[in-house]
Amino acid sequence: DWNPYLALLKIKAGHILVDIAKTSHVSKIAEDTSTIAKTFYSISMLERSIRAQKEMVALQRNKVNYGKSLGEQGNADELELRGMENSLRGMQIQVRSLKNRRDEEIAALKRLIGYPPDHHLPLDTRDAVKQILGGFNGQTVTFPEIQANNLLLKILAKKEQLQSNYVTGAYVSLLPRPLILFEDVQNQVDRTSGFNLALGVDYTLWDGFKRVREIKRQKLNSRLAEI
């Protein structure tokens, strides 16, 4: 019942499945790397926001101190001074909130890279975009280059190729199967001793349209797998 045509198609399908598995693995690595890069960039943006907010806190603190000095001289509006103090406290709360968000992002980055959570992670977030992109310029990239390097599109193309292989296999099942028979004749009175070789074909005449239904099913799957 061995069919060499189907055997070759199964070997080809096996190679395609291996390629899909390899590309999927590379895609997962790329996805994790992208997550790390995004987290690092988020940390850098939070660091910038914290520095800017601290500068605003320093300016507001100077205003409050100045207002207090005027108050000691009896030249300050108490309501205005209280408003400046409330504004200062709001800015300080904002700084603490930004720091908490940064610490959460750093903790997430540690988990992503397998860094001990209780160890300090030294990060240099200066020129974060340059560190992440490494000189990559998105303005010079063409759409065909994006398609050629898109791992998801490569996986989909491989799956489409695999399904096409299955359709071919379904059609091949309609063909007669070659038969090769070897016979070793030894010590028989009415036959000459030696090896006999017989070649022929085997064909199933009726299978309840099972093979035809399989072709339709594989062709439908092929249309669904098209990019």
Side-chain angles (χ1 to χ4, degrees):
D1 199 25
W2 179 71
N3 191 323
Y5 306 121
L6 290 177
L8 290 174
L9 289 172
K10 287 181 180 179
I11 292 173
K12 183 180 179 181
H15 289 316
I16 297 173
L17 287 171
V18 170
D19 288 342
I20 291 174
K22 288 181 179 178
T23 308
S24 298
H25 181 64
V26 173
S27 178
K28 185 62 173 66
I29 294 174
E31 181 183 342
D32 292 342
T33 303
S34 175
T35 303
I36 291 172
K38 290 176 181 177
T39 305
F40 180 73
Y41 180 72
S42 177
I43 293 171
S44 72
M45 295 303 296
L46 287 169
E47 289 281 6
R48 291 177 60 182
S49 298
I50 290 171
R51 288 193 295 269
Q53 192 69 19
K54 282 184 174 180
E55 291 178 359
M56 294 176 64
V57 167
L59 291 173
Q60 188 66 18
R61 183 179 290 112
N62 289 337
K63 288 183 179 181
V64 171
N65 291 336
Y66 180 70
K68 287 181 178 180
S69 67
L70 290 178
E72 293 173 355
Q73 300 172 15
N75 299 323
D77 185 336
E78 289 295 328
L79 290 176
E80 184 179 356
L81 178 58
R82 192 174 300 121
M84 289 190 295
E85 289 175 338
N86 290 337
S87 180
L88 176 61
R89 283 192 289 270
M91 291 179 180
Q92 290 171 333
I93 292 173
Q94 181 67 21
V95 170
R96 288 195 293 271
S97 176
L98 289 170
K99 286 183 176 179
N100 289 335
R101 288 174 55 192
R102 179 201 58 190
D103 293 342
E104 290 173 358
E105 290 293 323
I106 291 175
L109 183 60
K110 287 180 179 179
R111 290 192 297 270
L112 287 170
I113 63 177
Y115 200 83
D118 54 344
H119 284 54
H120 171 67
L121 178 61
L123 293 174
D124 182 5
T125 58
R126 293 173 297 180
D127 297 324
V129 174
K130 186 176 181 181
Q131 291 187 57
I132 294 171
L133 298 180
F136 172 78
N137 185 0
Q139 295 181 346
T140 62
V141 178
T142 63
F143 185 68
E145 289 176 330
I146 295 176
Q147 286 183 307
N149 292 283
N150 189 305
L151 294 176
L152 179 58
L153 287 178
K154 287 184 178 181
I155 293 173
L156 291 176
K158 287 291 182 181
K159 288 183 177 180
E160 186 177 349
Q161 182 183 357
L162 179 65
Q163 190 56 46
S164 176
N165 191 75
Y166 289 152
V167 172
T168 303
Y171 275 108
V172 167
S173 65
L174 293 175
L175 300 176
R177 296 182 296 274
L179 291 178
I180 303 176
L181 300 176
F182 290 96
E183 184 180 21
D184 183 10
V185 180
Q186 298 292 338
N187 301 322
Q188 294 189 21
V189 177
D190 58 342
R191 299 181 65 183
T192 305
S193 298
F195 289 98
N196 290 333
L197 172 64
L199 301 177
V201 294
D202 181 30
Y203 187 73
T204 302
L205 293 176
W206 176 253
D207 62 355
F209 298 107
K210 178 181 178 181
R211 288 170 294 174
V212 174
R213 290 195 300 271
E214 177 65 11
I215 290 174
K216 292 181 178 179
R217 186 178 73 87
Q218 294 297 351
K219 289 178 72 173
L220 175 60
N221 290 339
S222 182
R223 284 194 294 270
L224 295 174
E226 290 179 357
I227 299 177

